[in-house]
Amino acid sequence: MSIFTPGRRWQPAYSPFKKETFGRKLLADTEYVIKSPLFGCRMCGNCLLQETAFICPMECPKGLRNGPCGGSTPESCYVDKTRPCIWYHIFERSYKMGRQEKLMEVLPPLDWEKVGTETWGDVAGQVKKMGAGNVVKRLVSPKHRGQTWEEIFRSVRQPDWWQGDDEYHAPKSSEPVSELERRLRAGEFVVACEIAPPLSVSTNKLGNNIDLVKSYVTAINFTDNASATPRMTSWACSKIAIEHGAEPVMQIAARDRTRAGLQGEILGAGALGVRNILCVTGDSAVLAPRPRGRMDINDLDSIQMLWILRRMRDEGHYLDGREIKFPPKFFLGAAASPFAANPKFQALREHKKINAGAQFFQTNLVYDIERMEVWLNELAKRNFLDKVYILVGITPLKSFKMARYMTEVPGVWVPEPILKRMESAESAGNAQEEGVQIALELARKIKGYEKQGIHGLHIMPVGWEDIVPRIVTEVGLLPKVFNLPNPEKK
């Protein structure tokens, strides 16, 4: 157990990938001997303790360095229930110390050339660069102490290739690049829906489902190996949607991406005509079927993906600094989780995503409108609702079993009255219709927040695509220009 990092369990330190000089190895060993019992240090070589309330974020099983995933809870980590969610503790301590705004800075991914090596040498180098005598003099002065610490550590945690900050960056282009963006900018209350990618190379059902819903929705979202279970890639489904005359939202999960793979894939998607990108960290491989892949660390998180893609689009260069002659154009989105954590913690997380580059949110499932309103009020307090479009997620329940299962999904909350309604309907033999009625009620209530920060509905039918037209029609959300699907194409 470490002194300052809650829930610590011993894990071995990383080893450097190359041979170090005796002096640097000695310095690394000294740093580890001191920081390991204090903070549970694993020698990531990119220390962020100053920004995370002196709790090491590398305790997160996903290795997330910019905040919690959508499954965070105060009770435990959903990846490893023997541990607490370390980011929940970071948030709690940051608020108690009045350091919560330090969490807003977009922090870089690990530099694996530095992993396993020391950080103190970098700090000493920065002190030398600033002048040791000058640094000591300024640290003694209460007036300059905070600024001096910031100058020392900023260059260490924010290398030239990253340049992260805590500021909002408006999109460079003022023109919409997709139909989804155009309609949202025009003030329309839009509807998007989700279609599950197929489990084989056959695209017949996928094409039929696209044709079924495309007239009723503005965009169709394709998940990216949800639950860490392989399916057809999101970019392939997006291309098929374009061929069927529908607008796709290509979901891309950080879990399965390296930084090189991300940048190459986004250029390919842009060349295929994909204009809406949804960045998610992705479900842990702990949810995947066996045999499972690596579960201890992600190369990137969703916020880092947003930062990289925004800079590719608006600044026209790769992460390594090379220029992109013809940068990609896309409408950049992210996931939001109203019920994943304390609402004020979650609002800070959402704010950070907007600063990193998110222009729209698709939320996790909402079954409790009152709790959604609490979350929305916390977003309003951070004064950024004018900088993002929010599409609220709903899923019609097919059975009481499905309703109970939803209570176990990380980041989803199903209130007791809805569970009782589904249980009673199950006994009466009409659970499916009751699930539809609940979805209709929720959709109407969500529509009522149209002028209060909500801009649309995101329907996730979970294989029940036939229900989408009914929900859209009965709630009165048909697009302004509506063409009835041709039944012969089904």
Side-chain angles (χ1 to χ4, degrees):
M1 295 289 290
S2 65
I3 296 174
F4 293 113
T5 298
R8 164 72 183 163
R9 70 179 192 185
W10 185 84
Q11 296 178 106
Y14 293 110
S15 298
F17 284 165
K18 59 184 179 182
K19 187 175 181 179
E20 295 288 301
T21 65
F22 175 78
R24 291 187 70 89
K25 187 176 186 305
L26 180 62
L27 186 58
D29 289 344
T30 304
E31 183 175 338
Y32 179 66
V33 167
I34 294 173
K35 289 170 63 177
S36 179
L38 290 176
F39 306 105
C41 179
R42 298 188 67 191
M43 300 301 289
C44 72
N46 298 251
C47 190
L48 304 175
L49 289 171
Q50 290 280 332
E51 286 62 55
T52 57
F54 305 100
I55 297 176
C56 179
M58 295 307 293
E59 269 299 293
C60 171
K62 289 184 175 182
L64 302 185
R65 296 167 69 79
N66 277 289
C69 67
S72 63
T73 70
E75 291 81 21
S76 64
C77 168
Y78 89 91
V79 178
D80 180 354
K81 293 188 182 298
T82 67
R83 309 189 199 190
C85 172
I86 204 66
W87 271 102
Y88 207 91
H89 285 286
I90 290 172
F91 275 127
E92 282 188 321
R93 186 182 291 178
S94 294
Y95 270 90
K96 287 177 182 177
M97 297 173 66
R99 297 171 63 92
Q100 65 271 18
E101 293 308 312
K102 285 188 172 293
L103 299 176
M104 288 297 297
E105 189 174 303
V106 179
L107 299 168
L110 290 173
D111 180 349
W112 284 90
E113 274 196 318
K114 295 178 69 61
V115 168
T117 65
E118 43 73 34
T119 303
W120 285 357
D122 294 336
V123 174
Q126 181 64 11
V127 170
K128 183 179 179 180
K129 183 178 178 181
M130 295 169 62
N134 183 47
V135 168
V136 171
K137 188 185 300 183
R138 294 177 65 184
L139 287 176
V140 171
S141 168
K143 181 179 179 181
H144 300 104
R145 187 176 299 142
Q147 182 182 355
T148 304
W149 279 119
E150 173 63 14
E151 290 175 9
I152 292 171
F153 286 99
R154 180 170 178 79
S155 65
V156 175
R157 72 176 182 269
Q158 292 291 356
D160 291 339
W161 52 266
W162 188 253
Q163 299 176 11
D165 57 37
D166 57 0
E167 300 175 5
Y168 170 67
H169 300 270
K172 184 177 180 180
S173 174
S174 59
E175 295 298 320
V177 299
S178 70
E179 181 64 10
L180 176 62
E181 183 179 10
R182 186 193 69 77
R183 292 191 183 187
L184 286 168
R185 286 194 180 197
E188 294 185 33
F189 190 87
V190 305
V191 180
C193 81
E194 186 174 282
I195 292 179
L199 289 165
S200 71
V201 297
S202 174
T203 61
N204 292 335
K205 183 178 180 181
L206 175 66
N208 289 339
N209 285 334
I210 291 170
D211 290 335
L212 172 67
V213 304
K214 69 181 182 182
S215 297
Y216 295 88
V217 302
T218 300
I220 302 173
N221 184 85
F222 298 99
T223 56
D224 185 21
N225 291 340
S227 300
T229 301
R231 289 176 174 267
M232 185 177 289
T233 61
S234 182
W235 66 260
C237 294
S238 296
K239 176 59 176 174
I240 292 168
I242 292 171
E243 292 171 351
H244 281 253
E247 170 134 320
V249 176
M250 175 180 146
Q251 189 179 115
I252 185 164
R255 175 198 60 236
D256 302 322
R257 303 300 186 284
T258 62
R259 53 204 79 177
L262 168 69
Q263 294 169 89
E265 190 168 347
I266 209 68
L267 293 179
L272 293 174
V274 178
R275 294 292 178 263
N276 303 302
I277 306 292
L278 187 79
C279 295
V280 298
T281 296
D283 298 320
S284 168
V286 74
L287 301 179
R290 297 177 185 273
R292 294 170 180 146
R294 187 169 182 174
M295 295 185 286
D296 62 337
I297 193 165
N298 286 17
D299 188 41
L300 297 167
D301 59 41
S302 60
I303 289 175
Q304 290 161 347
M305 287 204 307
L306 289 164
W307 186 260
I308 292 170
L309 299 185
R310 179 192 61 78
R311 295 182 72 192
M312 287 179 70
R313 180 193 66 196
D314 294 345
E315 300 173 22
H317 61 69
Y318 291 101
L319 182 60
D320 58 26
R322 287 176 298 136
E323 181 183 355
I324 304 174
K325 189 173 183 180
F326 300 103
K329 297 179 180 180
F330 43 74
F331 186 42
L332 202 53
S337 299
F339 311 133
N342 182 313
K344 70 177 181 180
F345 297 171
Q346 201 58 40
L348 188 148
R349 171 78 163 160
E350 261 72 283
H351 193 174
K352 190 170 183 176
K353 288 184 178 181
I354 294 168
N355 284 359
Q359 298 166 269
F360 72 97
F361 284 141
Q362 289 181 348
T363 80
N364 208 333
L365 301 180
V366 169
Y367 290 102
D368 189 331
I369 301 300
E370 290 183 1
R371 288 187 66 177
M372 182 199 77
E373 186 172 353
V374 172
W375 169 76
L376 197 60
N377 288 337
E378 290 296 330
L379 302 189
K381 289 177 185 177
R382 298 197 68 86
N383 195 31
F384 63 74
L385 287 178
D386 61 334
K387 297 178 177 67
V388 69
Y389 301 102
I390 300 175
L391 280 63
V392 176
I394 65 168
T395 287
L397 300 167
K398 277 188 172 182
S399 65
F400 177 55
K401 180 180 178 181
M402 181 180 179
R404 283 189 303 178
Y405 170 77
M406 288 298 179
T407 65
E408 301 173 5
V409 176
V412 176
W413 165 258
V414 183
E416 191 63 28
I418 286 182
L419 290 173
K420 289 182 177 179
R421 283 178 63 178
M422 290 302 298
E423 185 176 22
S424 298
E426 189 87 34
S427 300
N430 64 337
Q432 188 165 294
E433 179 59 27
E434 186 66 18
V436 174
Q437 291 303 317
I438 291 171
L440 291 171
E441 292 169 15
L442 291 170
R444 292 186 183 105
K445 289 178 180 178
I446 291 166
K447 178 68 166 62
Y449 287 82
E450 182 175 359
K451 303 299 182 183
Q452 302 176 55
I454 301 300
H455 305 85
L457 192 67
H458 179 51
I459 305 172
M460 292 173 267
V462 195
W464 195 6
E465 285 80 5
D466 289 354
I467 202 61
V468 172
R470 179 181 171 187
I471 293 174
V472 174
T473 302
E474 293 193 18
V475 180
L477 296 176
L478 288 173
K480 290 182 178 180
V481 178
F482 174 71
N483 298 310
L484 190 67
N486 186 348
E488 294 180 0
K489 291 185 179 181
K490 296 183 182 180

